[in-house]
Amino acid sequence: MIKVENLKKHFGNNEVLKDISVSINPKEVVVVIGPSGSGKSTFLRCLNLLETVTGGHVYIGGVDLTDKKTNINKVRTEVGMVFQQFNLFPHKTVLQNIMLAPMTVKNVQQEKAKQKALELLRKVGLEDKAEVYPDSLSGGQKQRVAIARALAMEPKIMLFDEPTSALDPEMVGEVLEVMKQLAKEGMTMVVVTHEMGFAREVGDRVLFMDGGYIVEENVPKELFENPQQERTKSFLSKVL
Amino acid sequence: MDFRFDLIGEYMPYFIEGTFYTIGVSLIGILLGTILGLLIGLGKMMKNKVLAFPFNLHIAFYRGTPFFVQIYLIHFGLIPALIGTTNGLVAGIVALTLNASAYIAEIFRAGIQSIDKGQMEAARSLGMSHVQAMRHIILPQAFKRMVPPLGNEFIVLLKESSILALVAVPEIMYWSRAFQGQYYKVWEPYLTAAVIYFVLTMVLSFLLRRLEKRLATE
């Protein structure tokens, strides 16, 4: 589903991703952990080309994103993304936030888009918030709307970039709950997070990144209980 | 000093006509200037420096030279070259439009760049094209932030339109100068003009304040 080959990314002289290769299977939930500055967010953002790639290849469903002829907008409709800062559209209601992309990008009829949006709001437990503006929502509610907005495009893959890092602690649970449900339904997910509990419980595989490399990857139980690399051990001893 | 209200009364029809001209050319100037300003602002933001250069030059020229100079260049140079004859009204509107477009381009650029880049990223991540994201996400939010500086520019433009008198556009200052020439009076015409301009800008800033409030609560 996702295949990354020798991915490199630098900002000027600052090499953020040095050589990343990994492949992710359909329905797999991959959790990316690592210290800040390790390149995990940049890695995630390369998977839908929010960052331009400076070397290597990224394939989504067999399509090479680094090929200039690839229609990136088309690929992005199949790769949803949830951001740390939610990035809801503040000038649109919750319902409009969710309906906009299906209507403008996929030309879905308004009535159909609305039905789908309401259905998704029910799924994330916010059907009563359809008509309000994002400003009046709590952080956890905003993030759940952001998830619904991404799902409205019916993506095959969902990317989560530290989805709970900007939330008050009591709201983390409600967002993780939605993500767990999504994982259960078989969504292919790549999640950058500091929530080790989530990684352990929901992840099929955990990647530990540091210094622009994937230092270690394994099933969660093994990686957390029996880390092989020094850097992994030292990171885990600080966060667990 | 005896202040001749009767002469002001005599000139009132001309002042009224002049006021309509002032309002008219200002409205057209701000309207066309806004449209042109948006295009120039977007042009200036192009990543390709070569393509952006003409837009930068346009902005630099109209911001860097006096409006007085610009209107003479346009009235005696540009318009005759284009239509074969001088036409004060056309020259005045063109000059106001071009001048305003330079300032408005910068207002647009500042407004667009003030929108958090996460908004563009979110829109693009949903598969929207750059143009779609601009149209549905960035511009509507940027417009709201542009209202105060745009209003400011509108007020500046309204006052600047007084220079159109020098190319015989029959607006407020044109009639004031005629008044002075006819009766050798100074205070009567120019105080009247000052009062009219002052009332116009006051009304305008009142309307703008209300618009800002309405946008803020939306």
Side-chain angles (χ1 to χ4, degrees):
Chain A
M1 180 114 264
I2 303 175
K3 199 166 162 211
V4 178
E5 282 176 356
N6 306 107
L7 172 63
K8 292 185 181 72
K9 169 71 188 176
H10 56 80
F11 296 100
N13 287 328
N14 181 19
E15 207 171 19
V16 182
L17 298 179
K18 289 176 181 147
D19 186 7
I20 306 266
S21 294
V22 65
S23 68
I24 294 166
N25 300 317
K27 304 198 174 186
E28 200 177 6
V29 177
V30 173
V31 179
V32 185
I33 61 171
S36 60
S38 59
K40 50 195 195 306
S41 279
T42 306
F43 164 65
L44 194 74
R45 290 160 59 85
C46 284
L47 299 182
N48 67 351
L49 235 57
L50 277 187
E51 299 293 349
T52 53
V53 171
T54 40
H57 296 276
V58 177
Y59 299 92
I60 301 285
V63 179
D64 185 359
L65 301 197
T66 57
D67 184 345
K68 284 222 156 59
K69 278 175 279 181
T70 298
N71 178 357
I72 187 61
N73 295 331
K74 179 87 175 57
V75 178
R76 282 179 179 147
T77 62
E78 293 172 0
V79 184
M81 189 168 206
V82 174
F83 300 85
Q84 181 177 357
Q85 297 298 337
F86 327 125
N87 296 342
L88 292 180
F89 307 134
H91 60 305
K92 299 202 172 282
T93 64
V94 164
L95 200 61
Q96 289 167 342
N97 260 275
I98 302 173
M99 290 162 63
L100 180 68
M103 285 172 61
T104 52
V105 179
K106 286 181 156 177
N107 294 318
V108 175
Q109 300 244 313
Q110 183 166 355
E111 261 317 300
K112 261 189 140 176
K114 189 172 175 182
Q115 262 174 22
K116 174 85 185 166
L118 287 170
E119 188 186 306
L120 286 166
L121 278 175
R122 256 195 304 283
K123 182 177 176 145
V124 299
L126 290 170
E127 63 268 52
D128 55 326
K129 299 289 184 188
E131 297 302 332
V132 308
Y133 285 89
D135 274 349
S136 65
L137 300 177
S138 71
Q141 291 170 331
K142 281 182 191 166
Q143 197 59 298
R144 284 187 279 157
V145 172
I147 294 171
R149 178 177 71 177
L151 291 175
M153 291 301 283
E154 301 177 329
K156 299 197 178 84
I157 300 165
M158 284 285 282
L159 309 176
F160 292 85
D161 188 3
E162 302 200 26
T164 58
S165 297
L167 297 179
D168 291 334
E170 74 268 26
M171 293 169 183
V172 170
E174 63 192 62
V175 172
L176 293 182
E177 211 40 62
V178 171
M179 291 167 64
K180 277 181 206 168
Q181 194 195 335
L182 210 53
K184 218 184 282 170
E185 291 166 10
M187 178 64 79
T188 309
M189 291 163 61
V190 185
V191 185
V192 171
T193 187
H194 295 291
E195 294 294 327
M196 297 303 151
F198 176 85
R200 204 187 277 249
E201 190 185 336
V202 186
D204 295 313
R205 188 159 38 131
V206 178
L207 310 182
F208 171 69
M209 282 184 71
D210 192 20
Y213 294 102
I214 295 175
V215 175
E216 187 167 353
E217 57 171 295
N218 213 330
V219 293
K221 191 167 154 43
E222 276 300 305
L223 190 119
F224 285 119
E225 286 168 15
N226 192 15
Q228 300 298 310
Q229 302 289 330
E230 260 330 294
R231 280 191 282 178
T232 318
K233 281 179 201 166
S234 105
F235 174 75
L236 289 177
S237 72
K238 278 179 225 150
V239 298
L240 287 180
Chain B
M1 185 187 90
D2 75 310
F3 193 83
R4 297 281 302 274
F5 281 104
D6 60 313
L7 294 183
I8 295 176
E10 188 191 316
Y11 251 87
M12 203 34 87
Y14 301 112
F15 278 123
I16 291 170
E17 183 198 327
T19 303
F20 280 116
Y21 265 95
T22 292
I23 294 172
V25 293
S26 300
L27 274 178
I28 297 171
I30 197 81
L31 208 74
L32 298 179
T34 302
I35 297 165
L36 191 62
L38 172 61
L39 298 176
I40 291 167
L42 292 173
K44 182 178 165 146
M45 280 189 287
M46 282 192 295
K47 283 204 192 92
N48 186 325
K49 290 273 184 320
V50 178
L51 290 178
F53 178 73
F55 300 100
N56 275 309
L57 190 68
H58 175 93
I59 293 169
F61 176 77
Y62 285 99
R63 293 210 309 175
T65 57
F67 184 60
F68 194 8
V69 176
Q70 293 164 17
I71 197 157
Y72 271 24
L73 280 172
I74 289 165
H75 180 60
F76 295 115
L78 181 68
I79 297 300
L82 290 178
I83 64 174
T85 171
T86 58
N87 183 322
L89 188 60
V90 172
I93 288 171
V94 169
L96 280 177
T97 299
L98 291 175
N99 182 275
S101 75
Y103 288 93
I104 292 171
E106 287 294 66
I107 293 171
F108 273 115
R109 189 183 57 80
I112 288 168
Q113 287 178 349
S114 77
I115 303 299
D116 183 70
K117 76 177 184 8
Q119 292 288 306
M120 178 56 98
E121 289 183 351
R124 297 305 303 274
S125 80
L126 290 163
M128 283 188 224
S129 67
H130 186 83
V131 172
Q132 286 172 328
M134 269 291 178
R135 171 157 163 240
H136 294 287
I137 304 304
I138 307 298
L139 288 180
Q141 294 183 64
F143 271 123
K144 228 185 233 189
R145 295 190 190 176
M146 288 173 207
V147 168
L150 267 181
N152 201 30
E153 173 59 23
F154 197 0
I155 288 171
V156 169
L157 184 128
L158 186 115
K159 292 187 292 176
E160 207 125 89
S161 73
S162 60
I163 293 180
L164 267 51
L166 297 168
V167 294
V169 176
E171 46 70 76
I172 297 168
M173 273 305 282
Y174 174 87
W175 292 114
S176 305
R177 280 156 56 90
F179 189 160
Q180 182 195 12
Q182 185 177 353
Y183 293 109
Y184 301 105
K185 290 284 182 189
V186 174
W187 293 102
E188 287 84 350
Y190 295 126
L191 275 179
T192 308
V195 168
I196 297 173
Y197 279 115
F198 188 73
V199 169
L200 288 179
T201 54
M202 281 295 118
V203 170
L204 197 54
S205 41
F206 170 76
L207 292 175
L208 286 165
R209 261 203 310 281
R210 285 200 31 186
L211 179 65
E212 275 173 50
K213 263 193 203 142
R214 242 185 61 192
L215 287 174
T217 53
E218 249 175 29

